[in-house]
Amino acid sequence: MATAHITVEHLTMAYGDFVIQRDLNFSIGRGEVFIVMGGSGCGKSTLLKHLIGLQQPAAGAVFYDRRNFWEANAGQRIELMRRIGVLYQSGALFSSLTLAENIALPLREFTELSQAEIADMVSYKLALVGLAGFEDYYPAEISGGMQKRAGLARAMALDPEILFFDEPSAGLDPVSARLLDDLIISLRDTLGTTIVVVTHELASIFAIGTDSVFLDPDSKTMLATGNPRQLLAESDDPRIIQFLTRGQGRGDIRMGVS
Amino acid sequence: MRKVESVQQSDNIGRVSLRPGENASAVLEIGGRWLRDAGTEAVEGVLASIAAQSVKRLEIRPVGLEAWDSRLPCYLLKIADYCTAKAVDLDIAAMPQGVRDLLVLARAVPERAGARRQRERSSLLVNIGTRVLGLAKDSRLLLVFVGELILAFGAVVRGRARFRLLDLFIFIQDAGPNGFPIVSLISLLVGLILAFVGALQLAMFGAQIYIADLVALGTVREMGPLMTAVIMSGRTGAAYAAQLGTMNVNSEIDALKTMGISPMEFLALPRILALVLMMPLLTLYADLLGILGGAAVSYSAFDVSWVQYYNQIVKAVDMVDVAVGFGKSVVFALLIAIAGCMRGMACGRSASAVGDAATAAVVDSIVYIVVSDSLMTLVLNQLKI
């Protein structure tokens, strides 16, 4: 396996006294497509919030390249956060800005590029996600799938080392979801970006995942980690098999397993 | 200036040079470090020299390319687009695999025809015309809203309106008792100010006792209803617009419609009822505090006793004056609630649209309040009431 980019040690997540997940241990290798999966309400999105520094762990630690995120001071933390890009579930584009302004915002704040260079960069990022020519549109004027891709263009604006996706295929038709998956893979292949995807979309999990963690809402901890195809082939845990086969059991179908 | 600095710091520079070849061909050599803040020659310059040499075949080749990120494919995309437009043969086979893949990806989805927008500069006439049309549209919106509201009131009278009584009580609580602190503060201070301004003039004639007339009449007929209305338009009218606007953004209003429940009855009616029920009472309360403020000034600064003040007020203000103020506040309440609910329900579907709706609600209701107040004062004056 590649060297660890993010390491999670004994992480416990809680809202007040209400524990979501406890004692999570896994690491995300450089250049992996890491899937965070599990049923609804198991704490996938909460785990994402912990990974991207929006929420502080109740116990345990998150390391970026062996640097403890929550023990770093505020300045270092901002430095670490600038190396990641996040695509939120509904795009989270700023609705009062055009697509071009949305993508230009981090470029303008954190780089020394000139206006013309920023405009070129915006056009390039939009072209990458298949939205060439949509610079002057407001988020409300384009469809949900396009908003999502525009959100990806913004997440990629600063060439992040790690890209996080929260339910990338939610609300997309199967073809668009597939295209987004392809896009994620080509970004990983060309830029070497580490990708972390929170999803329960089986097709995506098997199509793009190279590593994963499976969270269980009942026992409130992780059940397994590893390549999702391998998990399907080798796991003995009926809960994982149930999830990965849409409740049909291993005997019936082997989706996407080659 | 900044470019030079960054070059010195890390030798962060992306080199590019165009070497002309035979038969209208050319080689573009790319080298150095193409990283985020690297200094490079502007792509327009390169395109200009390609155009100047009327190149028909262009090869892009890496020569000592050390590192690259999005800067390089972004740069090459401009060149590739130019080549496509000018039918120049482009060969990038020698570039790193990643760069080629990204270029393919960026050009995979062709620009949708008609997607790009022309930034057009509109003339003054067009602007004025658009505004006037917008005004006409707004008035239509208002008429439709008032019409629907009347129908909804009809439903209430027939006992068929669908809204939750609990909602009505919550809105009453919010528009009434919760408004006490701010209304108390403002009306007490306005009473004080009114008394001071008047008293300084009246004291010149030794007529301090008439402070009571001035404050009481001014507060009961005008300032009480007006100040309460202005406070409530900012406090409650804007809140209505923001609540309904957010519900519209979340498709909650659509959900009500598809359930066959009229949003007018379910959402607007309880809000409007609550404000119309509460604001006149708040106004009476504001009148009382305004008069108290005046009394405090007269007593402490101008030697008018509490009893004198009271007697003077009883002589000066009769029930008609109170009724006029009360009636005005009913009208104001209706206007504020209508402006708030109408702007909220007509809100666009974005975060900034909710803010716009709240702003428009406050502006509208203040305009309605002042205009209707002037009209009512004029009419009452003519009728000698």
Side-chain angles (χ1 to χ4, degrees), chain B residues 9-81:
Chain B
Q9 274 164 18
S10 56
D11 196 27
N12 224 357
I13 192 155
R15 288 191 308 274
V16 52
S17 61
L18 188 68
R19 296 191 192 289
E22 293 163 3
N23 300 335
S25 71
V27 175
L28 192 67
E29 291 181 349
I30 302 279
R33 300 169 64 80
W34 285 76
L35 296 177
R36 190 196 291 159
D37 287 323
T40 61
E41 188 186 336
V43 67
E44 284 75 16
V46 175
L47 291 180
S49 39
I50 293 176
Q53 296 168 20
S54 52
V55 173
K56 282 290 155 213
R57 277 197 61 247
L58 182 68
E59 189 193 345
I60 301 180
R61 206 187 283 158
V63 176
L65 180 61
E66 292 169 39
W68 58 276
D69 64 5
S70 286
R71 284 300 294 284
L72 184 55
C74 171
Y75 202 85
L76 296 184
L77 179 65
K78 286 279 272 199
I79 296 175
D81 281 345

Side-chain angles (χ1 to χ4, degrees), chain B residues 297-347:
Chain B
V297 170
S298 325
Y299 175 74
S300 56
F302 296 96
D303 287 335
V304 180
S305 79
W306 296 104
V307 178
Q308 278 176 306
Y309 190 84
Y310 173 78
N311 286 337
Q312 193 66 25
I313 287 177
V314 172
K315 263 193 277 170
V317 179
D318 56 16
M319 278 319 282
V320 175
D321 296 318
V322 178
V324 166
F326 194 86
K328 277 184 177 175
S329 72
V330 173
V331 174
F332 294 161
L334 201 59
L335 293 175
I336 293 170
I338 286 177
C341 292
M342 189 185 82
R343 287 299 182 178
M345 287 167 91
C347 173

Side-chain angles (χ1 to χ4, degrees), chain A residues 111-112 125 136-137 158-159, chain B residues 36-37 70-71 73 115 119 351:
Chain A
T111 70
E112 295 182 354
K125 298 283 177 184
D136 291 331
Y137 282 66
L158 291 177
D159 288 329
Chain B
R36 190 196 291 159
D37 287 323
S70 286
R71 284 300 294 284
R119 262 173 216 248

Side-chain angles (χ1 to χ4, degrees), chain B residues 19-352:
Chain B
R19 296 191 192 289
E22 293 163 3
N23 300 335
S25 71
V27 175
L28 192 67
E29 291 181 349
I30 302 279
R33 300 169 64 80
W34 285 76
L35 296 177
R36 190 196 291 159
D37 287 323
T40 61
E41 188 186 336
V43 67
E44 284 75 16
V46 175
L47 291 180
S49 39
I50 293 176
Q53 296 168 20
S54 52
V55 173
K56 282 290 155 213
R57 277 197 61 247
L58 182 68
E59 189 193 345
I60 301 180
R61 206 187 283 158
V63 176
L65 180 61
E66 292 169 39
W68 58 276
D69 64 5
S70 286
R71 284 300 294 284
L72 184 55
C74 171
Y75 202 85
L76 296 184
L77 179 65
K78 286 279 272 199
I79 296 175
D81 281 345
Y82 170 87
C83 290
T84 311
K86 295 276 152 78
V88 176
D89 228 5
L90 182 68
D91 177 11
I92 55 167
M95 294 303 284
Q97 176 81 37
V99 176
R100 278 185 287 146
D101 286 351
L102 280 171
L103 272 181
V104 169
L105 196 60
R107 289 156 65 79
V109 182
E111 190 171 317
R112 194 185 292 180
R116 194 173 290 277
R117 288 182 174 176
Q118 302 298 325
R119 262 173 216 248
E120 39 189 67
R121 291 187 48 147
S122 45
S123 69
L124 181 68
L125 268 179
V126 172
N127 278 339
I128 295 176
T130 319
R131 284 291 174 86
V132 171
L133 288 180
L135 216 61
K137 203 177 123 222
D138 275 2
S139 353
R140 214 182 99 85
L141 201 69
L142 182 66
L143 278 182
V144 170
F145 189 89
V146 170
E148 282 179 16
L149 187 66
I150 291 171
L151 290 180
F153 264 116
V156 175
V157 172
R158 277 178 283 129
R160 286 216 206 116
R162 283 177 211 273
F163 65 86
R164 302 188 325 145
L165 223 48
L166 182 66
D167 281 349
L168 181 62
F169 288 126
I170 291 172
F171 294 132
I172 283 181
Q173 161 89 24
D174 189 56
N178 291 354
F180 270 159
I182 180 81
V183 171
S184 312
L185 180 73
I186 303 280
S187 41
L188 192 71
L189 291 182
V190 168
L192 279 172
I193 293 165
L194 215 56
F196 255 118
V197 172
L200 288 177
Q201 309 301 317
L202 291 170
M204 285 198 274
F205 308 103
Q208 294 96 319
I209 186 66
Y210 290 107
I211 299 172
D213 296 54
L214 178 84
V215 171
L217 267 181
T219 305
V220 169
R221 285 187 76 111
E222 280 300 332
M223 292 315 275
L226 204 59
M227 292 316 293
T228 314
V230 170
I231 294 168
M232 294 312 274
S233 73
R235 200 182 161 275
T236 307
Y240 287 176
Q243 287 163 359
L244 296 180
T246 312
M247 293 180 83
N248 200 14
V249 172
N250 288 339
S251 305
E252 291 172 51
I253 291 182
D254 294 345
L256 277 177
K257 280 185 193 156
T258 47
M259 278 181 209
I261 298 174
S262 152
M264 186 61 78
E265 289 175 21
F266 194 81
L267 300 174
L269 205 57
R271 288 179 167 81
I272 294 172
L273 273 180
L275 200 62
V276 171
L277 288 175
M278 283 300 107
M279 230 178 72
L281 301 182
L282 270 184
T283 302
L284 291 184
Y285 173 72
D287 291 348
L288 186 70
L289 281 177
I291 291 173
L292 270 181
V297 170
S298 325
Y299 175 74
S300 56
F302 296 96
D303 287 335
V304 180
S305 79
W306 296 104
V307 178
Q308 278 176 306
Y309 190 84
Y310 173 78
N311 286 337
Q312 193 66 25
I313 287 177
V314 172
K315 263 193 277 170
V317 179
D318 56 16
M319 278 319 282
V320 175
D321 296 318
V322 178
V324 166
F326 194 86
K328 277 184 177 175
S329 72
V330 173
V331 174
F332 294 161
L334 201 59
L335 293 175
I336 293 170
I338 286 177
C341 292
M342 189 185 82
R343 287 299 182 178
M345 287 167 91
C347 173
R349 294 192 173 237
S350 69
S352 57

Side-chain angles (χ1 to χ4, degrees), chain A residues 36-47:
Chain A
V36 177
M37 56 182 171
S40 297
C42 68
K44 297 189 295 287
S45 297
T46 312
L47 176 58

